[in-house]
Amino acid sequence: MKIIKILGIAAMALGLTSCVSKKQYDALSSNYKQCIENIGERQREIQDLKSQNSALSGENNLLKSQHDALKSSLDACLANTGKSSANIDKLVGEINASNSYIKQLISSNAKNDSLNLALSNKLKRSLDNVADDDVQVKVLKGVVMISLSDKMLYKTGDYNILPAAQEVLGKVAKVINDYDKYSVLIEGNTDNAPLSSPNLPRDNWDLSALRGTAIAKVLQTQFGVDPARITAGGRSEYNPKATNMSVSGRAENRRTEIIIMPKLDEFMKLMDITPKK
């Protein structure tokens, strides 16, 4: 507005040149030129300010876009953090439950190992007057295993129990009866010498199974072992302890094993222990 007024005054001054002195005219002319120059400078300043405003507007739009993107990322992170926290809590719970389960297993296994060791020691004391070649007692994989040689129990190729074996079987039966919560597995084993006969036993399968059941019947009928606790069978020549290439190896393979272990339902209870959800 000031510029317009100045221009108007300048124009009036020019129109009145005839009414003013030369000195006044020169002054007005100089002022007019100065006003023109000032107008040009102001216009350039206005143009520069417009350019700066446009650049700032672009930067502002870019910053706003970046802000929106960062806010979206932050919201997503916060949501994922909540989910991760829940997953971590669940994982910690599962780890604690697993640790509790492991402690239960260790406790149960330690208890079983102690019982089996006591049972094994009692059997060894009962059979301390029997030759080691004829009877071996050991704890293996959580069960007590009694290995009886065939020469003490049977005649060659036969499954009928020899009278001399009654004393040993009686001692074994007494310990079995003392541990009435345990199951008894009886396995007959042979070497790989072929056995062929039209009558029983026809082969090594028959011989091993009949020897196993013969021991079971003696334990039941003569020493009062509950037959519901007994499982009897044979493994023929297919579970050797030693090589069948030597006489001593074949003798070691011809054996009957009595395996005393926690009852199957006790094992199943142990296996049913699972981590709490």
Side-chain angles (χ1 to χ4, degrees):
M1 183 63 72
K2 287 183 179 181
I3 293 172
I4 295 173
K5 287 182 178 180
I6 292 171
L7 291 175
I9 292 171
M12 292 175 62
L14 290 172
L16 296 174
T17 53
S18 59
C19 301
V20 297
S21 65
K22 188 176 184 304
K23 183 179 180 179
Q24 291 175 326
Y25 173 80
D26 291 338
L28 290 173
S29 177
S30 177
N31 288 337
Y32 173 74
K33 291 178 179 180
Q34 185 65 42
C35 288
I36 295 298
E37 291 177 0
N38 289 339
I39 290 171
E41 290 179 2
R42 299 292 86 77
Q43 287 177 337
R44 286 192 294 273
E45 289 177 358
I46 290 170
Q47 190 64 38
D48 289 343
L49 290 173
K50 285 182 178 181
S51 298
Q52 292 177 11
N53 181 66
S54 177
L56 290 174
S57 295
E59 291 180 4
N60 181 64
N61 291 334
L62 178 61
L63 290 173
K64 186 176 183 302
S65 175
Q66 292 175 343
H67 171 269
D68 292 340
L70 289 173
K71 185 176 183 303
S72 177
S73 297
L74 178 60
D75 291 341
C77 287
L78 291 174
N80 289 333
T81 299
K83 292 178 181 178
S84 297
S85 178
N87 290 335
I88 291 172
D89 290 341
K90 182 179 179 182
L91 180 60
V92 169
E94 291 177 351
I95 291 172
N96 290 335
S98 296
N99 287 338
S100 176
Y101 173 55
I102 291 169
K103 288 178 181 178
Q104 286 178 285
L105 287 178
I106 292 173
S107 176
S108 297
N109 288 335
K111 181 179 178 182
N112 285 337
D113 288 343
S114 298
L115 289 171
N116 290 340
L117 184 59
L119 190 157
S120 175
N121 290 335
K122 187 170 183 179
L123 276 166
K124 288 178 179 178
R125 287 194 299 270
S126 298
L127 302 169
D128 61 358
N129 62 336
V130 182
D132 290 341
D133 290 342
D134 292 332
V135 179
Q136 296 179 8
V137 180
K138 61 182 177 180
V139 176
L140 181 65
K141 295 182 180 179
V143 300
V144 176
M145 302 184 67
I146 309 165
S147 183
L148 306 174
S149 68
D150 75 322
K151 68 179 182 179
M152 183 186 69
L153 296 173
Y154 328 96
K155 293 179 181 179
T156 301
D158 194 10
Y159 59 89
N160 293 299
I161 308 298
L162 294 171
Q166 298 294 326
E167 181 182 359
V168 172
L169 293 178
K171 291 179 178 180
V172 172
K174 184 179 186 307
V175 176
I176 291 173
N177 285 329
D178 288 343
Y179 287 80
D180 58 355
K181 300 298 183 183
Y182 280 57
S183 292
V184 181
L185 174 62
I186 304 170
E187 292 182 348
N189 293 268
T190 70
D191 58 22
N192 66 347
L195 179 65
S196 178
S197 171
N199 303 314
L200 288 176
R202 289 183 293 267
D203 52 28
N204 282 329
W205 273 116
D206 281 350
L207 181 60
S208 63
L210 289 169
R211 284 181 170 181
T213 55
I215 296 291
K217 290 175 182 177
V218 169
L219 294 178
Q220 174 191 353
T221 59
Q222 297 187 32
F223 302 109
V225 177
D226 182 0
R229 299 170 56 193
I230 300 175
T231 301
R235 303 187 70 176
S236 187
E237 63 195 69
Y238 303 108
N239 185 36
K241 292 179 64 177
T243 177
N244 282 302
M245 300 299 291
S246 66
V247 173
S248 60
R250 289 194 296 274
E252 191 173 355
N253 291 335
R254 295 190 302 270
R255 70 198 185 278
T256 299
E257 292 182 341
I258 301 176
I259 302 169
I260 306 172
M261 58 186 178
K263 289 185 177 179
L264 183 60
D265 58 348
E266 295 297 324
F267 274 129
M268 295 306 294
K269 286 179 183 178
L270 183 62
M271 298 305 294
D272 283 341
I273 300 172
T274 55
K276 297 178 181 178
K277 299 297 185 183

